[in-house]
Amino acid sequence: MTTHTTGATGLSGRVQHLLTRVRAADARRPWVWDAALTLFWTGAALVDASGGWRNTAPDPTVPAWQVVVLSLGLALPLCLRRRRPMAALTMMACAALGSAVSGAFLQAVYLQLIPLFHLALVRRPRALLRALALLLPPLVTGALLYPRGSWDQHVVPTLSTYALVSLLGIVVRSRRDHNAGLVDRARRLEIERDQEVRLAAAAERTRIAREMHDIIGHNLSVITGLADGGRYAAAKNPERAAQALDAIGTTSREALAELRRLLGVLRDDEQEAARDPQPALADLDTLITGVRKAGLPVRYEVHDDEPTARLLTPGAQLTVYRVVQEALTNTLKHAGGGARATVLLTYTAREARVEITNTGTHPTTPAAAVSSPGQGLTGMRERAALYDGTLDSGPLPTGGWQVRLRLPREESPS
C-alpha cells in the first residue's frame, strides 16, 4: 500500500512538472501553441468533411465545397481564441448557423467550446450572456428546421455542455486569481520581512554604537585622568603614582570585559555570548568611585520620597547609569582643572529625576553646545526617549553645566 502511494505521488509530481514546463513554453511562445492547436483541429474538421459528417447529418446531400467552407469557418478562428475570444466565437457561430440551416450538422460546431472556455477565463461573467446570444440561434434553428423527436432533446444537452464549460472556465479563473493573490501576498510579506530585518539591524547597530561610545568614552576619560595624575605624582609621591597605575589597569580590564560582553552578542554561537547583567543603579557607587580616582571630586546624593519609589525596570536603570556615566565623562574631558561634580537622584511615586551638575568652565560656548550636540548628548536623549523620558542639558548662569533626566514610572502616565 505504501509503495502504491509513493508511486502515485511520484507520478503526480512528474505530471505537475510537465505541466509547468508546458505553461512556461506557452508563455514564451504563445503563437506556437495557437498555431499547433488551430492546425490540429482544422485537420480534424477536414477529415470529418471528407464524408464522416453524413453519418449524423439530416441532409446528406449538402455540396462538398459548402461542407469544407463551413468546416474551415469553424476551425480557423481558433487562432484568435486567446487574443480575441469574442471575435473568434462570433465567426464560429456564423459557420454553425450555416451548418444548421444547410442540414449538415457538422461535429466541428463543438469547437465553439474552446473560445467559450477562454471567454469565461479572461472576461467578466456578463460576456457569457453575449456568448449565449451567439450560441443559441444555431441550436434553435437546427431544432426547428430539422426536428428529431422533441426540440429540447437537441437544444438542452448542448446548452448544458456550454454551461459546464463556462463554469469550468470560471473555476479555473478563480483559482488562478487566488493563486496570484497568494503569490502577491507572499511577495509583499517577503518585502516587509526584509524591511523589518533592515530596520532591526539598523536599530541594533545604533544600540551597539551607543553602548560602545559610553563604554569606551568613559573608561578612556578615566584612564586619561589617572595617567595625568600619576605623571604629576611620580616625581613627588611614587606610591600615589603606583596607585594610579593600578587604577589604570583595573579600569582597562573593566572596559575590556564590557567590550567583550557587548561584542559577544554578535557572534553566531549564542552560547558563547557573555551573560553578565547590564549596569544598574547599584553600580553607580563603583562608577563614581572610579571617577573620583581619576581626579574629579563627585558628591553623590539620593532622595527617596517613598520607600518603594526606587523600583525601576532594568532598562530604565541602565538609562540612568549611562546618563550619569556620560555626564561625568564630559566633565572629565571638558570642565577643566578644579572642577567639581554633583549627582543628585530623586525618586518619587511618579518619576525618577537625575541632575548632574559641575562647576567647571567648558571650552565651548553655550550656543555651540546647543546647536551642534555631540554623539554623547544624542545618545543620552535617545535613551531617555526609549522610556518616555526627557533630557535637558545646558550651561548654568553661575558657570558650569547641568544635565537633567526625567524618567516616568511605567505605571504612571507619561
Side-chain angles (χ1 to χ4, degrees), residues 225-350:
L226 290 171
D228 291 341
R231 181 165 57 87
Y232 288 118
K236 298 180 180 181
N237 193 341
E239 183 179 353
R240 292 294 301 273
Q243 292 176 356
L245 291 176
D246 291 339
I248 289 174
T250 301
T251 304
S252 300
R253 284 189 291 272
E254 290 176 353
L256 185 60
E258 286 195 63
L259 284 176
R260 285 174 176 171
R261 175 188 56 78
L262 179 62
L263 298 178
V265 300
L266 301 179
R267 297 175 181 173
D268 293 335
D269 187 2
E270 296 183 358
Q271 299 298 326
E272 297 181 4
R275 302 302 183 188
D276 296 337
Q278 292 274 29
L281 293 177
D283 300 302
L284 281 178
D285 291 330
T286 303
L287 172 68
I288 293 175
T289 300
V291 174
R292 287 169 179 164
K293 289 182 180 180
L296 176 65
V298 181
R299 182 167 60 91
Y300 178 38
E301 297 181 6
V302 179
H303 296 165
D304 287 347
D305 291 353
E306 293 187 6
T308 60
R310 197 182 293 197
L311 298 178
L312 294 176
T313 62
Q317 294 188 40
L318 176 63
T319 298
V320 173
Y321 180 92
R322 293 301 188 197
V323 168
V324 174
Q325 183 186 54
E326 179 64 24
L328 295 179
T329 301
N330 290 338
T331 302
L332 282 172
K333 292 191 293 185
H334 304 300
R340 306 178 68 87
T342 301
V343 178
L344 175 61
L345 270 67
T346 303
Y347 300 97
T348 67
R350 297 176 60 86

Side-chain angles (χ1 to χ4, degrees), residues 213 326 330 369-370 372-383 391-394 401 403:
H213 172 272
E326 179 64 24
N330 290 338
V370 173
S372 58
Q375 179 69 22
L377 289 176
T378 302
M380 287 193 289
R381 290 193 177 95
E382 289 175 351
R383 288 183 182 278
L391 186 136
D392 300 316
S393 63
W401 196 270
V403 176

Side-chain angles (χ1 to χ4, degrees), residues 64-259:
W65 66 268
Q66 186 177 356
V67 174
V68 171
V69 171
L70 293 175
S71 298
L72 293 176
L74 290 168
L76 292 179
L78 288 177
C79 61
L80 302 176
R81 63 186 179 89
R82 282 197 285 196
R83 297 188 300 275
R84 302 181 63 184
M86 184 60 72
L89 188 61
T90 301
M91 290 186 284
M92 297 173 73
C94 293
L97 182 60
S99 174
V101 171
S102 64
F105 279 34
L106 299 176
Q107 298 297 311
V109 295
Y110 290 105
L111 293 178
Q112 297 176 104
L113 296 174
I114 298 177
L116 178 63
F117 172 81
H118 282 275
L119 194 66
L121 189 64
V122 300
R123 299 291 179 85
R124 295 181 179 180
R126 116 179 17 172
L128 295 176
L129 297 178
R130 295 196 294 269
L132 178 63
L134 295 173
L135 296 172
L136 194 57
L139 293 178
V140 175
T141 300
L144 294 177
L145 294 180
Y146 302 97
R148 291 181 294 183
S150 60
W151 68 274
D152 59 330
Q153 291 180 357
H154 179 71
V155 175
V156 174
T158 306
L159 284 180
S160 300
T161 304
Y162 292 157
L164 288 176
V165 171
S166 301
L167 182 61
L168 178 62
I170 294 174
V171 170
V172 173
R173 176 183 180 179
S174 300
R175 181 174 178 82
R176 185 186 61 183
D177 293 343
H178 177 69
N179 291 338
L182 292 178
V183 171
D184 181 68
R185 181 184 178 188
R187 181 183 58 82
R188 287 188 285 106
L189 288 176
E190 184 176 358
I191 294 175
E192 292 175 1
R193 182 199 63 189
D194 294 340
Q195 291 175 346
E196 291 175 357
V197 169
R198 287 194 293 269
L199 291 175
E204 186 66 10
R205 286 194 299 268
T206 302
R207 185 188 69 82
I208 292 173
R210 188 166 53 229
E211 290 289 333
M212 292 186 69
H213 172 272
D214 293 340
I215 294 171
I216 296 176
H218 170 74
N219 287 285
L220 286 181
S221 297
V222 172
I223 290 173
T224 301
L226 290 171
D228 291 341
R231 181 165 57 87
Y232 288 118
K236 298 180 180 181
N237 193 341
E239 183 179 353
R240 292 294 301 273
Q243 292 176 356
L245 291 176
D246 291 339
I248 289 174
T250 301
T251 304
S252 300
R253 284 189 291 272
E254 290 176 353
L256 185 60
E258 286 195 63
L259 284 176

